[in-house]
Amino acid sequence: MIQHSLPASLAALSDIRRLVTQACQTAGLSEEATYRLALAVDEIATNIITHGYEEQGLTGDIVVSLGQTDQELTVLLEDTGVAYDPRTQTMPTAEDLDKPLDDREIGGLGIFLALAGVDRFDYQRIDNMNRNLFAMNLA
Amino acid sequence: MAFSANLEMTGSEARITLEGELDAAVADQFRQTVERAAQEKPQKLVLFMDKLQFMASAGLRVLVFAKQRMGRDVAIYVIGATGPVLNTMQMSGFHQAVYLRESYP
């Protein structure tokens, strides 16, 4: 597993996407699956940086770990921001997604796009650390 | 690729050309461009997305802002969105809320 530690700042998002995209290309993932994984990681990283660190007045890092087995490519994001399990976020309903833009709530779409875009997502809180795991099938 | 959002007013149309990767770090640039466009009180907002390589939900939120800031009567056209950017809009239901076109006169 290859690890990269980046400062938890929005400016790091493009670097995080680049790391994920390179790992996908090395693993032979399709362009479409690569984009879905990069988007998912980007959305959760944005939440970590914005809500987990900045809004709490905290600073810290995000550790990006890239792994691969015969079956799947995994990306693990670890941070020490405030505890947050993305799976507890209420997902927009079909009715919400049909609403005209005038009536839309601003927000709530990022986690929906993240969780809908990957083949497997898992979250753990261990000690003072959030661990968000994303996986894409390689077959 | 660096993000840019360039505004051009053509008659009553506000045309914004988006290029690069639109994430939360740069979404405010897009929002400010929409704000400048809104101050011109356009009748139509046309967004050229054929050179947009990535769009996170932060970009979608600016589209919501644009509609709510400019008002119900201002139609939003999205031109040239392809591949995954288009797919993100479809997953989010935004394809029903804007006019999608492959090209624009």
Side-chain angles (χ1 to χ4, degrees):
Chain A
M1 186 165 279
I2 304 169
Q3 284 194 336
H4 303 266
S5 184
L6 297 106
S9 125
L10 292 176
L13 289 173
S14 58
D15 290 332
I16 293 172
R17 289 197 304 275
R18 192 170 307 115
L19 289 170
V20 172
T21 300
Q22 285 170 353
C24 290
Q25 288 169 347
T26 302
L29 221 59
S30 70
E31 279 187 29
E32 187 263 341
T34 297
Y35 187 95
R36 282 193 282 120
L37 179 59
L39 177 62
V41 173
D42 179 273
E43 295 289 356
I44 298 297
T46 297
N47 265 36
I48 291 168
I49 293 162
T50 306
H51 304 303
Y53 283 112
E54 291 181 352
E55 288 177 1
Q56 310 297 324
L58 300 173
T59 57
D61 294 325
I62 295 183
V63 177
V64 182
S65 301
L66 305 161
Q68 187 178 341
T69 66
D70 289 343
Q71 286 80 36
E72 60 184 16
L73 174 70
T74 60
V75 179
L76 176 66
L77 295 184
E78 293 174 300
D79 70 88
T80 55
V82 67
Y84 179 67
D85 181 349
R87 297 172 303 182
T88 62
Q89 170 83 32
T90 304
M91 291 292 117
T93 63
E95 187 182 345
D96 292 331
L97 296 175
D98 275 347
K99 282 184 180 173
L101 297 188
D102 320 53
D103 300 330
R104 288 256 186 165
E105 298 288 329
I106 294 184
L109 278 174
I111 291 174
F112 166 71
L113 290 171
L115 272 54
V118 294
D119 292 326
R120 186 164 68 88
F121 177 83
D122 194 21
Y123 169 85
Q124 292 178 306
R125 178 79 177 179
I126 298 179
D127 297 328
N128 289 323
M129 189 173 288
N130 296 302
R131 301 178 88 241
N132 290 278
L133 179 74
F134 311 76
M136 299 299 276
N137 297 333
L138 295 173
Chain B
M1 183 181 170
F3 173 74
S4 66
N6 292 308
L7 170 64
E8 178 190 1
M9 291 301 302
T10 304
S12 60
E13 291 181 10
R15 299 182 175 192
I16 298 176
T17 302
L18 302 173
E19 290 189 38
E21 301 185 359
L22 175 48
D23 63 15
V26 297
D28 198 52
Q29 284 182 48
F30 181 26
R31 195 192 64 78
Q32 288 179 23
T33 307
V34 167
E35 178 59 37
R36 281 197 289 125
Q39 288 171 8
E40 301 292 331
K41 302 195 183 312
Q43 292 176 1
K44 189 187 285 187
L45 174 63
V46 187
L47 301 170
F48 294 90
M49 293 196 182
D50 53 304
K51 293 178 182 167
L52 191 63
Q53 297 164 336
F54 177 86
M55 182 167 65
S57 63
L60 296 174
R61 283 196 291 278
V62 178
L63 296 186
V64 174
F65 166 76
K67 191 67 177 178
Q68 295 179 352
R69 174 72 178 77
M70 292 184 177
R72 189 176 292 262
D73 295 335
V74 176
I76 298 179
Y77 284 72
V78 171
I79 313 302
T82 56
V85 170
L86 179 60
N87 188 45
T88 299
M89 295 187 71
Q90 289 169 333
M91 280 177 69
S92 316
F94 278 55
H95 62 300
Q96 303 173 107
V98 300
Y99 295 98
L100 288 172
R101 298 284 186 272
E102 288 183 12
S103 60
Y104 193 75

